Amino acid sequence: MPGLLAGKSALVTGAASGIGRATALLFAREGARVTLSDLPGEALESAAAAVADAGGEAQAVAADVTREDEVATLVERAVARFGRLDCAFNNAGVAPRSVGAAGQRIGEMSRDSWDALLAINLTGVWLCMKHELAAMERQGGGAIVNTASIGGLVGLPRSNAYVVSKHAVIGLTRSAAIDYAEAGIRVNAVCPGYVETPMIGESMARRGEQILGTVPMHRLGRPEEIAEAVAWLCSDRAGFVTGAAQVVDGGYTAV
Ligand SMILES: NC(=O)c1ccc[n+]([C@@H]2O[C@H](COP(=O)([O-])OP(=O)(O)OC[C@H]3O[C@@H](n4cnc5c(N)ncnc54)[C@H](O)[C@@H]3O)[C@@H](O)[C@H]2O)c1
């Protein structure tokens, strides 16, 4: 049976780790040729090598999603290598801890932390969309999935900038879905619950039982379980789905 994404050219940001890495691998297994992107480093190269080892066609292109020149080059290189860009998964993101804001409420947080988090989680997605949408419009269609979070749908404690960024990603997704529907471009978001990646390692170590107590399935998601939803949303099988915020959270937001 041909793969879900057979013959498609796909781009994944945050592809060196966690959800992005698992999605790049699944995209390749489903027949896509994949451009993996992340900050420069060994982890990005090894993720691309893992795709190639599994028989996929892949290239690694380092880019900081907060830098428009680097994002523009990333999209250009995906198109140059594989002839077009059919699918894009805008997934790079950070938790408050990465910008020095772990456990902080608004009154305790610095302006620098706020700016740094929004630059990656929100402006980074906007920049990627800007260049991907232009490329997809030129070729007559495509599909984009942005990584939001359960924090894009409900509040989370001591995560104000993160929650704002993920609510905004859903807003961006919906407005782009409307603006680009006639161009044949579908734009959706995926909203993972707590997923077993390096991003939540420290929180799990500190208060794992408390976190699991909020999840009806009483376990963490696996990155591969998020990847399945993303691959489907990117595929032609989701042809009438646009502007959606697909929850994959073990029941967290059902409570
Ligand atoms: N793990 C969870 O529980 C969870 C839950 C909901 C949403 N998410 C979201 O899923 C996405 C992926 O997170 P993950 O859990 O796989 O974490 P992760 O830390 O394993 O992966 C995130 C990747 O993004 C990259 N990145 C960070 N800043 C970047 C930048 N400026 N430019 C390019 N790449 C950058 C990192 O290098 C890293 O490889 C994030 O957007 C995160 O907010 C995660």
Side-chain angles (χ1 to χ4, degrees):
M1 204 169 86
L4 203 52
L5 303 172
K8 293 190 188 290
S9 161
L11 166 58
V12 178
T13 71
S17 176
I19 293 168
R21 190 180 197 278
T23 304
L25 279 161
L26 180 63
F27 276 5
R29 215 174 305 126
E30 293 293 343
R33 296 163 294 162
V34 189
T35 299
L36 294 90
S37 186
D38 206 295
L39 297 171
E42 171 53 31
L44 173 60
E45 300 304 326
S46 92
V51 172
D53 287 349
E57 210 179 326
Q59 69 169 338
V61 179
D64 179 337
V65 296
T66 67
R67 300 266 321 248
E68 182 159 12
D69 54 341
E70 296 186 14
V71 171
T73 302
L74 166 63
V75 173
E76 276 165 27
R77 287 192 55 190
V79 173
R81 170 74 185 266
F82 297 126
R84 49 190 289 119
L85 180 65
D86 299 295
C87 315
F89 181 36
N90 299 318
N91 165 76
V94 294
R97 172 166 303 280
S98 299
V99 296
Q104 293 178 348
R105 299 171 300 161
I106 294 172
E108 296 132 16
M109 193 169 153
S110 74
R111 170 70 190 264
D112 284 349
S113 294
W114 168 266
D115 287 344
L117 192 141
L118 290 179
I120 299 167
N121 288 15
L122 173 56
T123 309
V125 173
W126 184 82
L127 284 172
C128 289
M129 289 177 76
K130 174 181 165 175
H131 291 274
E132 293 156 0
L133 286 163
M136 288 176 176
E137 189 164 38
R138 280 195 294 277
Q139 74 193 12
I144 292 175
V145 176
N146 299 317
T147 303
S149 164
I150 49 175
L153 298 166
V154 296
L156 298 173
R158 296 176 187 268
S159 303
N160 67 91
Y162 185 82
V163 164
V164 166
S165 74
K166 296 302 188 179
H167 274 69
V169 164
I170 293 177
L172 262 182
T173 299
R174 290 180 174 144
S175 51
I178 296 166
D179 288 344
Y180 287 87
E182 287 182 0
I185 304 169
R186 296 182 300 100
V187 189
N188 292 291
V190 66
C191 300
Y194 291 101
V195 181
E196 196 169 359
T197 73
M199 180 177 283
I200 65 157
E202 191 282 332
S203 302
M204 284 306 292
R206 198 163 34 82
R207 54 184 191 96
E209 266 314 303
Q210 184 197 342
I211 287 173
L212 292 182
T214 64
V215 183
M217 290 181 76
H218 208 74
R219 68 169 176 85
L220 297 179
R222 296 189 302 276
E224 294 76 15
E225 292 175 307
I226 311 304
E228 289 290 342
V230 177
W232 180 76
L233 285 168
C234 281
S235 78
D236 297 340
R237 301 245 282 268
F240 198 49
V241 183
T242 197
Q246 176 62 57
V247 167
V248 187
D249 69 352
Y252 182 94
T253 51
V255 178

